[in-house]
Each structure stands twice: as structure tokens, then as C-alpha cells.
């Protein structure tokens, strides 16, 4: 199954993490915005990717889901290594 690369627009998510999320049923911004950060951390740990911080992914995904691209870009510009 092809990886949904739309998730890679979220700061901190590359193709490898998108693939991990897809395997857990997370394909869209709506899916990601409804996820629990603890679950995301578990998925990353299981895939040996625990060095990545998913703490802002829900917020970013919510902005993307609502097509608030300017706000998303502003938030992403403020992120430091994926953290607010």
C-alpha cells in the first residue's frame, strides 16, 4: 500500500514516520488530529523512532484539517526541532 505523503507536510513527519502512522490507521490530517500524543509516542518507539517528538503534530494536523495554512506556516516557523 502506498504511503500517504500528505502527512509529511506536518513538521517532524517524514516518509518513514508517515509509513508508521499509516500502518496504525492514520492517513489524514483528521486521523492525526484525533490521535493521542501518548499513542503516537508508542508508535514511534515501536518503530525505533522515539527520538522524534510528536507533541505538536495534533495541533499542526488540526490546522491543516481546517485548511488554516497561514496559521500552520506561522506555527511551523516557530517550532524548534518540532517543539513549541
Amino acid at each position: 500500500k502506498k504511503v500517504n505523503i500528505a502527512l509529511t507536510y506536518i513538521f517532524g513527519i517524514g516518509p518513514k514516520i508517515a509509513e508508521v502512522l499509516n500502518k496504525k490507521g492514520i492517513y489524514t490530517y483528521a486521523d492525526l488530529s484525533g490521535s493521542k500524543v501518548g499513542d503516537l509516542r508508542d508508535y514511534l518507539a515501536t518503530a525505533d523512532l522515539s527520538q522524534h517528538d510528536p507533541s505538536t503534530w495534533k495541533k499542526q494536523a488540526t490546522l491543516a484539517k481546517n485548511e488554516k495554512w497561514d496559521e500552520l506556516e506561522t506555527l511551523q516557523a516557530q517550532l524548534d526541532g518540532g517543539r513549541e
Side-chain angles (χ1 to χ4, degrees):
K1 188 167 187 174
K2 191 172 180 189
V3 174
N4 181 350
I5 61 159
L7 293 176
T8 62
Y9 193 73
I10 302 300
F11 186 87
I13 297 180
K16 190 172 208 154
I17 292 176
E19 184 177 357
V20 169
L21 296 176
N22 288 176
K23 286 179 181 174
K24 296 297 183 179
I26 300 170
Y27 295 96
T28 66
Y29 299 132
D31 294 338
L32 184 57
S33 69
S35 300
K36 294 179 180 160
V37 174
D39 290 343
L40 297 173
R41 289 187 199 285
D42 291 345
Y43 304 155
L44 292 173
T46 301
D48 262 349
L49 296 167
S50 58
Q51 71 272 25
H52 298 276
D53 180 9
S55 61
T56 66
W57 295 356
K58 283 178 55 110
K59 187 174 184 178
Q60 292 183 68
T62 300
L63 291 171
K65 173 183 78 166
N66 294 320
E67 298 185 9
K68 295 186 176 183
W69 304 113
D70 291 342
E71 289 178 50
L72 178 58
E73 284 186 26
T74 299
L75 171 62
Q76 289 176 334
Q78 297 167 350
L79 295 177
D80 178 24
R83 294 177 173 87
E84 280 189 89

